[in-house]
Amino acid sequence: MTAPDAAPQAARPVLPVRPELAGEVPYGAPQLDVPVLLNVNENPYPPSAQVVADIAAAVAEAAHGLNRYPDREFLGLRADLAEYLAVESGVRVAPEQVWAANGSNEVMLHLLQAFGGPGRTALSFAPTYSMYPEYARDTHTRWVAGRRTEQFDVDPAEARALIARETPSVVLLTSPNNPTGTALELDTVRAVLAAAAEVPGGCVVVVDEAYGEFRREGVESALTLLAEHPHLAVSRTMSKAFGLAGARVGYLAASRELVDALRVVRLPYHLSAVTQATARAALRHAPELMAQVGSLRAERDQLVLDLRDRGLRVAESDANFVLFQVGQDRHAVWQGLLDRGVLIREVGPEGWLRVSVGTPEETAAFTAALWEVLGI
Ligand SMILES: *Cc1c(COP(=O)(O)O)cnc(C)c1O
């Protein structure tokens, strides 16, 4: 019985939430305020005073024109990105072959909006980036996850068979992969491209190289395959190597035809004048930022050795993070590190944890805490 003075209960609104979204929660790693943040693969070095000054000046300049909508085609930024890719990988593409958006997450959404959709399938190989199934869900695209091998590699023969069976319109290959760090052999990418070319109605292969700049000596970028494969897209981001996660700029390189399909689905003026100015100013400092990548790679290699020295199993890494095995109760290890002021990521196969490469001081704080927690 309700007490006579009880406040009337507000009626629960009836909202027509799509059934596949019912009970879902927004994606995101915990954002906790602790001294050592090694959980989301950020670059630990903030932009230098010079980079900050140049970005600020470029944004001030752009601010004078903020009464107008920004350049919808942003060919200036696309040309700068093409130039950067030519220097970084030796592969030259035209500005019209580059596409950009608010993070490579949005680039990926554009890809699925253009090439996925109801009645279509997107396929990848797990364990991999946990956002992909969400893009598929949001674009009504069926999701199929093949398996990676014990070494977190993709088996070319298995991949070919899976593609022939599932006839996807989009295949996502992540290389270096997140959360494992593993880069794919280009022969594997070639096998996937060949299988995709045989899918009736066509199939786009996306190689997500968000961590491409961290690849080890001798590991090739899929950019080198672009010229012969009009159904290939290679995506990159300014969030990781460039240390510009807060600016939200991701991009891809592909054939003009593929890029033109993305231009159809993007929202008008999706890339703000402020974002374009920020990215172009940062790109002018690419050589300085790339020097930093070299030291992060060296530190990554050393971290892998240190973990192995203590008897831990560690996945090969071509990224700015390392996946290592701690056994069954990984949550207790994660919590033990957090109690010592170090936040890493509880992600990937059961029993494994992922740590981003930080500054030498941060990495030292992480290893000291880990030896203590594991008693090794
Ligand atoms: C971090 C990451 C991205 C980059 O996302 P942004 O939206 O560009 O910040 C893309 N793909 C993978 C696999 C990643 O780990």
Side-chain angles (χ1 to χ4, degrees), residues 138-370:
D138 295 348
T139 56
H140 303 267
T141 310
R142 176 176 162 258
W143 177 250
V144 172
R147 297 299 309 170
R148 283 177 174 254
T149 65
E150 270 287 294
Q151 282 71 42
F152 305 125
D153 217 338
V154 172
D155 180 80
E158 261 181 49
R160 295 192 71 134
L162 189 63
I163 291 166
R165 190 166 75 237
E166 300 289 349
T167 61
S169 58
V170 180
V171 174
L172 297 171
L173 294 176
T174 321
S175 178
N177 186 40
N178 180 7
T180 62
T182 335
L184 296 174
E185 300 266 352
L186 279 198
D187 276 346
T188 305
V189 180
R190 285 194 191 91
V192 167
L193 283 163
E198 280 164 26
V199 173
C203 173
V204 164
V205 177
V206 183
V207 181
D208 183 347
E209 292 191 352
Y211 302 96
E213 287 93 342
F214 296 104
R215 67 191 184 276
R216 286 172 291 183
E217 204 65 44
V219 176
E220 279 185 292
S221 164
L223 288 165
T224 56
L225 302 176
L226 276 179
E228 308 131 62
H229 299 95
H231 60 312
L232 168 66
V234 180
S235 79
R236 294 276 185 107
T237 180
M238 295 186 77
S239 294
K240 311 283 163 58
F242 253 91
L244 223 60
R248 309 304 301 126
V249 184
Y251 58 102
L252 63 67
S255 62
R256 284 167 205 255
E257 293 78 4
L258 197 156
V259 170
D260 283 346
L262 305 179
R263 290 170 58 223
V264 175
V265 297
R266 61 108 176 90
L267 295 172
Y269 317 110
H270 70 288
L271 210 54
S272 86
V274 168
T275 302
Q276 293 179 39
T278 301
R280 298 192 70 183
L283 282 162
R284 289 195 284 274
H285 293 272
E288 167 192 335
L289 291 158
M290 286 307 106
Q292 217 170 57
V293 166
S295 71
L296 287 167
R297 287 160 66 190
E299 211 188 317
R300 179 260 332 269
D301 291 340
Q302 188 56 49
L303 177 59
V304 170
L305 294 175
D306 290 349
L307 292 167
R308 285 185 180 152
D309 269 355
R310 302 268 170 154
L312 296 173
R313 188 166 162 219
V314 185
E316 295 291 336
S317 178
D318 281 284
N320 67 336
F321 57 83
V322 171
L323 188 78
F324 59 100
Q325 196 173 30
V326 292
Q328 282 322 295
D329 199 358
R330 71 166 169 181
H331 183 72
V333 178
W334 178 86
Q335 185 65 52
L337 292 169
L338 186 57
D339 294 343
R340 288 161 180 81
V342 180
L343 179 63
I344 68 166
R345 193 82 188 271
E346 196 178 347
V347 70
E350 199 47 52
W352 295 72
L353 291 168
R354 190 192 73 191
V355 62
S356 314
V357 174
T359 62
E361 295 74 28
E362 290 170 328
T363 304
F366 159 71
T367 47
L370 185 67

